[in-house]
Amino acid sequence: MHSLRPIHNRLRRFLGSERGEFFDAAVERWEICPTEEVEIAPGIWLPDQVEQIAQTEFGGLPDILAQMQGHPAEPTPPTMGYRFRDVDFVDGVLHARGGEHHLRQRKRSGLTYPRPREAISGALYESWIGNRWFGNWLLNDCLAYRLAEAEAAGDPVTSAPVRGGHIARYEELLGLVPRRIDDVHFDELVLFDDLHNNRSRRDRAQQNRARLVAERALKPLPGVFIFRGGSGDARILENEAEIAERLEVEYGFRTLYVDRDDADRMIEAAGAARMIVGVEGSQLAHGVIAMPAGGTLLTLQPADRVTTSLKLLTDCWRQRYAMVVGKGTARGYRVEWDQLRRTLDLIAAENP
């Protein structure tokens, strides 16, 4: 038997009908953490950095400036839970009455799909951005897992397959034991709106950090440089090795390599570091999740891809955020040492 929901939803869009909002199909919604005002620390950068920006990512220049400005009492929306009934999960997409919610890129084409034969109940904690980027999985989805444990009647579930490397070890250390699914029908499904840095989310961030650093003999470090190299989407810092070496020699930093160091070595180094430095990207999530509150994340960014997406996460982990905008493009750029040194001085002045 085939499910007609995918074709119904596509036909509604083709005929110009208003697309049903997926979350309107919820049979119950509840507030996990109320709306509140949260102090957002300003970002740290040199006064001339705005002039270096050629292009932004994940938001326009006004968004970048607002994030870097901070806010003494930013209105922060609530964390919400939603309960649904009679939902199909097919090829990475949730289908409810008149609405779709995409969690993965489709792998199949066609207007109909086999209706799932297995029926379950559970709480999905994964997200589109978490399935796309490792950093968002570690710093967003793993926080939502804590909600799935506490708020849902069914098991935490995910469509992510069993993976090795850093992800498998983080799942073990954080106590993530989800039920892994393929195409299924949910008799009852719980989802969360959990991207707002309110008290609940910030507390869960510290709980996850505590799980990672528990019973480790952490040795204080001035800072850690996380070497990106050619990993992930292209962001080639041409003098990355030179910067790593000078930070080691002149500031006492330790360099970590995402393709060589395991999760435990990352945690043990970052867990007592005052600063994490590196090319802006998901590899810095290893530092954010382990670095203590009050530490600073310093991102080195190409002029054509400037973003404050990681600042939203350091705000959650109660850390400071800084950036240096280099010269060149994501395919090849440089950060001059003098510019980096002056930014480090600025960070030291604001965090004595």
Side-chain angles (χ1 to χ4, degrees), residues 13-24:
R13 294 196 296 275
F14 179 75
L15 295 173
S17 300
E18 182 179 353
R19 177 180 174 178
E21 291 293 337
F22 181 86
F23 282 83
D24 288 345

Side-chain angles (χ1 to χ4, degrees), residues 58-128:
F58 307 124
L61 183 58
D63 301 308
I64 302 294
L65 299 179
Q67 280 289 308
M68 292 299 285
Q69 184 177 359
H71 198 293
E74 181 172 272
T76 304
T79 296
M80 298 292 297
Y82 298 87
R83 193 180 312 278
F84 303 81
R85 294 195 177 97
D86 190 23
V87 178
D88 288 339
F89 181 66
V90 181
D91 195 23
V93 182
L94 291 165
H95 300 276
R97 298 187 302 273
E100 296 178 354
H101 184 56
H102 292 242
L103 295 174
R104 292 182 176 277
Q105 186 72 34
R106 293 179 188 271
K107 295 181 180 179
R108 291 172 257 170
S109 61
L111 295 179
T112 62
Y113 301 100
R115 185 175 175 86
R117 295 185 178 183
E118 183 182 13
I120 67 170
S121 293
L124 268 172
Y125 62 93
E126 66 186 276
S127 66
W128 175 275

Side-chain angles (χ1 to χ4, degrees), residues 46 246 324 335-345:
L46 296 171
R246 293 194 70 166
V324 175
V335 169
E336 300 305 324
W337 177 253
D338 181 66
Q339 191 178 40
L340 179 56
R341 178 188 57 77
R342 289 187 293 121
T343 304
L344 292 171
D345 290 344

Side-chain angles (χ1 to χ4, degrees), residues 40-43 67-68 70 308-316 321:
I40 305 298
Q67 280 289 308
M68 292 299 285
T308 49
S309 57
L310 277 170
K311 186 178 187 303
L312 296 172
L313 297 167
T314 57
D315 289 343
C316 180
Y321 179 86

Side-chain angles (χ1 to χ4, degrees), residues 186-203:
F186 284 98
D187 290 330
E188 183 170 283
L189 169 68
V190 173
L191 296 176
F192 305 100
D193 179 1
D194 184 42
L195 292 178
H196 310 296
N197 289 328
N198 50 41
R199 181 176 60 256
S200 168
R201 185 168 153 84
R202 288 182 165 199
D203 287 349

